Amino acid sequence: MQVSVENTTALERRMSVTVPAERIETQVNKRLQQTAQKAKIAGFRPGKVPMSEIKRRFGADARQEAVGDVIQSSFYEAVVEQKLNPAGSPSIEPKSLEAGKDLEYVAVFEVFPEFTVAGFEGITVERLSADVSDADLDKMLDILRKQNTRFEVADRAAQNEDQLNIDFVGKVDGEVFAGGSAKGTQLVLGSGRMIPGFEEGLVGAKAGEERVLNLTFPEDYQNLDLAGKAAEFTVTVNTVSEPKLPELNEEFFAQFGIKESGIDGFRTEVRKNMERELRQAIKSKVKNQVMDGLLATNPIEVPKALLSNEVDRLRVQAVQQFGGNIKPDQLPAELFEEQAKRRVVLGLIVAEVVKQFDLKPDEARVREMIQEMASAYQEPEQVVSWYYKNEQQLNEVRSVVLEEQVVDTVLQKASVTDKSVSYEEAVKPVEAPAAD
């Protein structure tokens, strides 16, 4: 077998392969012999059909199958011989398929980039530290109570944060517009659900009262047909209900699976969850800074095939997340290209760090991570056992731990500064940079 390789771009390879005719003929004859043993042809006993008849009937198909198999096997033999690492499937261009002559074809494909990860010293990381104070805990308890607010009908005028049950009809230029009317809608005043002025216009209203609100749709309203237009809403208030926060009692604690330990036990469990969230937030922010640094200090070109595959994965994830009657390939690829490129590049860089530093998942850290996740459940031992009985889930945790070890490896050489902050600042999500 003869092989020659041409570098057409930094990552694209054009490989010409010539396979001796004897190899093709051997494969063709092998298939014909197998066919002859089981072929059922009128006038001949099974296994007694003359080879000339077998070749006449099945020769073309046998040759096509043989050529396909030889191209596939010889391609992989060639890339191993040439020490190439293909990224994605090759495009095969046959040059000579004539019976009795050597098989010639050209395979065009991309290879994984070869590079060494460097620049750890140029990466800067700000590592936050924080504690969960009693004030933070009290604030979280208030949030939990507000999340479980119930509303009771009140015989008074509506106030901000009250829940109103309303009917309304909206008109533009005297005509009712699509989507501008509803009956029995529950609306919390101050929630910002409606256009500016709608909720404010109902403050002070009582059950049974009708109000006419003359408002203007915002210029950036999502429905362009209504954006910037004046509208009249006739609103009937059916009921006014005031918010009632639940008491911190046994009934409330039971909603969170805490039945016997009272307020002290509830505070302990909430603090544990807050501390767990805090650790994860700090770890995530450090990881993001490390990954951003690796991207900045290791610019690499990536194979188009990997980008395309990642875009397809993101499309499928988007459809699964948001649903709707749409197929993944109907979503524009441009929506996902930037995210796909980041994920592919980081995947290659992280894999190279693992290779360069010969990293292996630390099984003690794997167990620690599983126990940390399990601690959020009522039966943590069962959760730990489940992970160790499910190899796929266990390997996913190992991958996360290995990525953490990559972060630790970078931090050993990066420029790291520690900063003490409040709990709220530590857990606050990092805002994405504004688009230009």
Side-chain angles (χ1 to χ4, degrees):
M1 186 171 71
Q2 297 178 351
V3 181
S4 63
V5 179
E6 175 188 357
N7 295 356
T8 51
T9 68
L11 296 180
E12 188 179 82
R13 301 291 180 267
R14 181 181 176 85
M15 184 171 70
S16 299
V17 180
T18 302
V19 181
E22 293 80 6
R23 179 168 172 178
I24 304 297
E25 297 309 318
T26 298
Q27 290 297 319
V28 172
N29 290 331
K30 180 180 178 182
R31 280 168 172 73
L32 291 175
Q33 288 169 1
Q34 291 172 343
T35 301
Q37 294 174 5
K38 57 186 179 182
K40 295 181 180 180
I41 300 176
F44 298 98
R45 287 182 295 163
K48 300 297 183 179
V49 182
M51 185 54 68
S52 58
E53 184 65 14
I54 294 293
K55 287 182 179 179
R56 186 181 71 81
R57 289 174 177 259
F58 306 105
D61 289 342
R63 181 167 297 280
Q64 185 176 358
E65 291 177 7
V67 167
D69 286 352
V70 169
I71 287 176
Q72 184 178 25
S73 59
S74 62
F75 171 77
Y76 287 106
E77 291 169 15
V79 295
V80 169
E81 174 191 308
Q82 298 294 316
K83 296 182 173 59
L84 298 173
N85 189 8
S89 301
S91 172
I92 302 294
E93 179 186 348
K95 291 295 184 182
S96 174
L97 299 176
E98 191 176 343
K101 291 189 176 182
D102 293 346
L103 167 66
E104 296 178 21
Y105 67 89
V106 172
V108 178
F109 55 93
E110 292 175 298
V111 296
F112 283 90
E114 294 182 3
F115 63 99
T116 300
V117 181
F120 292 179
E121 296 80 2
I123 297 175
T124 59
V125 175
E126 183 180 71
R127 184 166 50 199
L128 305 181
S129 62
D131 294 310
V132 178
S133 68
D134 288 341
D136 294 324
L137 179 56
D138 290 337
K139 189 171 184 178
M140 180 59 69
L141 294 183
D142 287 340
I143 291 173
L144 293 175
R145 291 177 70 199
K146 286 179 181 178
Q147 288 175 347
N148 289 273
T149 296
R150 52 188 176 81
F151 291 90
E152 293 182 357
V153 174
D155 185 17
R156 60 167 173 76
Q159 302 174 3
N160 219 28
E161 297 188 357
D162 282 349
Q163 183 183 76
L164 274 57
N165 183 286
I166 59 173
D167 303 334
F168 64 90
V169 176
K171 296 180 180 180
V172 171
D173 297 330
E175 298 290 334
V176 176
F177 60 90
S181 303
K183 284 187 174 293
T185 291
Q186 303 281 26
L187 175 65
V188 176
L189 299 187
S191 64
R193 268 183 54 200
M194 309 298 278
I195 65 172
F198 191 103
E199 294 168 29
E200 293 87 343
L202 296 178
V203 172
K206 292 185 176 181
E209 184 178 340
E210 179 179 284
R211 287 195 174 184
V212 177
L213 309 177
N214 291 298
L215 308 173
T216 301
F217 281 95
E219 294 291 342
D220 60 351
Y221 192 64
Q222 65 266 26
N223 185 338
L224 298 180
D225 292 334
L226 298 174
K229 289 189 176 182
E232 179 187 271
F233 289 90
T234 301
V235 184
T236 300
V237 178
N238 300 319
T239 59
V240 175
S241 299
E242 60 185 357
K244 293 288 186 181
L245 293 180
E247 297 294 325
L248 290 174
N249 54 27
E250 300 299 328
E251 181 183 351
F252 182 72
F253 305 151
Q255 295 180 45
F256 299 87
I258 301 169
K259 299 179 180 178
E260 300 174 354
S261 47
I263 183 64
D264 291 337
F266 185 67
R267 290 176 66 89
T268 298
E269 285 301 314
V270 173
R271 184 185 291 274
K272 284 181 182 178
N273 289 332
M274 292 174 70
E275 289 171 345
R276 187 183 304 112
E277 180 187 15
L278 177 62
R279 287 192 296 272
Q280 290 301 322
I282 291 174
K283 188 185 295 185
S284 177
K285 288 179 179 179
V286 168
K287 174 187 170 182
N288 287 340
Q289 292 176 78
V290 167
M291 294 302 170
D292 288 343
L294 287 172
L295 282 172
T297 55
N298 294 275
I300 61 172
E301 188 174 348
V302 296
K304 296 183 183 67
L306 296 186
L307 288 176
S308 178
N309 289 341
E310 190 61 34
V311 165
D312 287 343
R313 270 193 288 271
L314 291 173
R315 280 168 157 168
V316 171
Q317 288 176 10
V319 170
Q320 291 173 340
Q321 182 176 357
F322 300 109
N325 297 321
I326 188 171
K327 295 180 180 178
D329 59 7
Q330 291 177 304
L331 296 173
E334 309 86 68
L335 290 176
F336 308 97
E337 284 175 351
E338 187 175 343
Q339 184 184 0
K341 184 174 182 181
R342 176 183 173 88
R343 288 171 65 160
V344 170
V345 173
L346 279 177
L348 293 172
I349 291 175
V350 168
E352 187 59 30
V353 174
V354 170
K355 179 182 174 184
Q356 282 181 216
F357 292 87
D358 194 25
L359 300 178
K360 302 284 191 301
D362 183 333
E363 292 300 329
R365 288 180 66 165
V366 171
R367 177 166 284 276
E368 182 181 339
M369 179 173 287
I370 291 174
Q371 290 173 335
E372 171 87 354
M373 293 186 294
S375 66
Y377 295 86
Q378 291 186 8
E379 302 290 343
E381 300 85 3
Q382 292 183 11
V383 177
V384 172
S385 176
W386 180 82
Y387 269 97
Y388 278 96
K389 289 178 181 176
N390 290 269
E391 194 67 21
Q392 182 179 348
Q393 300 296 328
L394 185 58
N395 285 334
E396 287 182 8
V397 177
R398 287 188 176 118
S399 296
V400 174
V401 167
L402 191 57
E403 203 168 77
E404 287 188 355
Q405 290 174 237
V406 168
V407 171
D408 292 344
T409 301
V410 175
L411 290 176
Q412 290 174 10
K413 296 184 178 181
S415 175
V416 182
T417 57
D418 291 298
K419 180 182 178 183
S420 294
V421 297
S422 67
Y423 168 82
E424 282 192 355
E425 185 175 347
V427 299
K428 182 181 178 182
V430 177
E431 293 183 8
D436 293 333

